[in-house]
Amino acid sequence: MAEAPESTTTSATGPGAKAPTRAPAGRRRPGAPASGGTHRGFPSALARRGRVDGVDGLRTLAVALVLVYHVDPGLLPGGSIAVDLFFTISGFVITRLLLAEYARTGSIALLAFYRRRWLRLVPALLALCAVCAALDATTTLWGFDGARKAAALSATFVVNLVRAAEPGPYSDLTGPLAHTWSLGVEEQFYLLWPLLLLALLLRFRARTVLLCTAVLCVLPVLWRWFLWNPDAAHRIYNGTDTRADQLLAGALVAVLLARLRADDPRLASLRTAAARLAWPALALLLLAAWRMPVTQDAGAWTAAWYTAGFLAVAAVSATLVTELELRPDGRLSRLLSVAPLAWTGRNLSYGLYLWHYPVVRFLASLGMKEGRLPATVLLTGVLALISYYVIESPFQRRGRASRRPGRAAPRGPRSSVDRGRARGG
């Protein structure tokens, strides 16, 4: 999923800073002081409070790969691998924000978190569903036949469950909204992960939370080995339980970086390793997108991909995220932080992901063959801009306004998450 995260901006201190200075104590809420001034075992959790431009640029690259893959799979047969990258980015960003809230308040306001997720994702998704349903009801475009049923499935985040239950070739039941399977995976994951993370944080020390997250990353691999047979490919590809390690890999990076102080020598080693591995990691992802038919039957290679391969991609994606987080002045970060890339990833990636596949079906229904890729890019970009300015931004402002001083706020600790994206987004 391509949703933009709530916040990814660098600050002058913390894990990504050059100087090995101690992370600032941050502002504490009365009645919930951080124990021993250590931010409850996560000394760097409050070091970053905004966006990391390089991560936003990486999101733009990912949504571009998915778009090209859906327009012409022959150009990028493995372009769907970008969804795996989205999952890991989402797990990192959301978990980092949850940890920052816990470090500051001693808890996580779960209802407030779910409300912000709803405001971030659902209004734009409902608008997409309404347009597709209207095209189904009022036109004869084959690409939108049955879109009213698909809209109901998409709006309730169960497309992935429907696809997982189909043993043979995918039916057209989910039609122009089939791509929203990834939203289903993310939202089902985020129904459970904040609850589990909070339980771990309240019960165990930070080191144990880190170990538990690492163990959780391995469990889906074992589960996929148990489930694997060629007839189970759809079940594995679309299942939240079988995809959870890709989101948890990002969460693991967030927990690890929050655990280490800026002057911890282990952080310096991690920064050096990420710098050495980041470019090879990016090359591997692009090579896989270019040459590897991810969703086709390739015998033993497919079996390896559907079992251990998902975690391998998550590890490569986590390497990229770590590099961008720890080295905002590195060459890769500077490349991905170019203003158009960062702005698009920050503001339009969710809308681009939502609208691109219905646009592909729309143009195909019109019989367009020549120039379909540039036409898809142009029309999708226009629709994403409309979605951002007309739907997404107003709802996000509403979510932020409800938390300003002088307005009613939900009881209990308030989250640091200002905008609603694991996925995805």
Side-chain angles (χ1 to χ4, degrees):
M1 164 183 160
E3 66 167 297
E6 291 86 342
S7 181
T8 48
T9 318
T10 61
S11 67
T13 59
K18 289 183 177 180
T21 55
R22 180 172 177 173
R27 186 175 299 174
R28 301 176 186 172
R29 283 180 58 87
S35 58
T38 62
H39 300 295
R40 298 177 177 86
F42 298 98
S44 295
L46 297 176
R48 294 185 181 278
R49 296 179 179 237
R51 309 186 69 93
V52 174
D53 287 340
V55 174
D56 289 330
L58 185 62
R59 187 178 288 103
T60 300
L61 174 62
V63 76
L65 293 176
V66 173
L67 188 151
V68 173
Y69 168 73
H70 279 143
V71 174
D72 188 351
L75 289 178
L76 291 176
S80 64
I81 199 174
V83 177
D84 307 45
L85 177 58
F86 280 135
F87 285 157
T88 302
I89 292 174
S90 176
F92 168 74
V93 172
I94 297 299
T95 302
R96 190 185 67 172
L97 293 167
L98 294 174
L99 289 173
E101 179 179 1
Y102 172 76
R104 192 182 67 254
T105 68
S107 186
I108 296 172
L110 294 172
L111 292 180
F113 170 79
Y114 294 132
R115 177 178 182 272
R116 280 186 294 274
R117 293 289 298 174
W118 193 95
L119 289 172
R120 177 65 185 96
L121 301 179
V122 177
L125 176 62
L126 292 180
L128 172 67
C129 291
V131 170
C132 291
L135 289 173
D136 177 26
T138 61
T139 73
T140 58
L141 295 172
W142 62 260
F144 295 87
D145 288 343
R148 282 170 285 185
K149 293 181 180 179
L153 297 172
S154 182
T156 51
F157 296 102
V158 296
V159 167
N160 67 308
L161 301 181
V162 172
R163 285 163 56 94
E166 295 182 324
Y170 288 127
S171 71
D172 209 34
L173 179 61
T174 55
L177 296 166
H179 65 305
T180 61
W181 72 270
S182 63
L183 299 184
V185 169
E186 287 203 19
E187 292 319 292
Q188 291 155 24
F189 176 82
Y190 287 124
L191 281 177
L192 300 176
W193 174 238
L195 289 166
L196 178 56
L197 179 62
L198 180 59
L200 293 173
L201 291 170
L202 294 177
R203 184 175 180 83
F204 300 112
R205 297 168 62 89
R207 179 182 299 177
T208 305
V209 174
L210 177 64
L211 293 174
C212 288
T213 306
V215 170
L216 289 172
C217 284
V218 177
L219 294 181
V221 183
L222 302 178
W223 181 227
R224 289 195 297 267
W225 276 108
F226 177 78
L227 291 175
W228 171 252
N229 67 70
D231 292 335
H234 292 173
R235 164 70 179 87
I236 292 173
Y237 192 83
N238 294 277
T240 300
D241 54 342
T242 50
R243 285 291 194 133
D245 51 334
Q246 298 191 311
L247 290 131
L248 288 166
L252 181 63
V253 173
V255 176
L256 175 61
L257 297 186
R259 276 277 297 128
L260 300 176
R261 294 183 181 277
D263 58 356
D264 193 315
R266 292 172 295 181
L267 188 63
S269 299
L270 188 61
R271 184 180 292 110
T272 300
R276 292 174 177 172
L277 295 174
W279 285 101
L282 180 61
L284 279 174
L285 281 177
L286 294 178
L287 180 63
W290 178 43
R291 300 299 297 173
M292 187 170 63
V294 172
T295 58
Q296 298 178 21
D297 185 4
W301 176 252
T302 298
W305 177 259
Y306 275 71
T307 49
F310 288 168
L311 183 58
V313 174
V316 171
S317 302
T319 300
L320 289 172
V321 170
T322 302
E323 161 71 0
L324 297 173
E325 174 75 5
L326 293 182
R327 288 168 41 86
D329 295 328
R331 286 182 298 170
L332 181 59
S333 292
R334 292 198 303 270
L335 174 63
L336 294 174
S337 297
V338 173
L341 288 178
W343 188 88
T344 300
R346 180 164 59 250
N347 299 309
L348 300 186
S349 58
Y350 182 49
L352 289 170
Y353 187 80
L354 282 182
W355 288 97
H356 83 279
Y357 191 62
V359 168
V360 171
R361 304 259 304 194
F362 176 76
L363 295 177
S365 297
L366 294 178
M368 176 178 283
K369 296 181 179 179
E370 298 296 327
R372 189 187 301 179
L373 180 57
T376 300
V377 172
L378 178 61
L379 184 53
T380 301
V382 171
L383 292 171
L385 284 167
I386 294 172
S387 175
Y388 174 69
Y389 284 109
V390 176
I391 303 172
E392 297 170 53
S393 287
F395 275 95
Q396 290 181 61
R397 286 197 297 269
R398 180 179 301 181
R400 294 194 295 273
S402 67
R403 296 172 53 246
R404 290 173 184 164
R407 293 180 179 259
R411 293 189 177 185
R414 285 160 53 181
S415 170
S416 65
V417 181
D418 289 332
R419 307 178 189 88
R421 98 105 81 115
R423 275 121 269 190

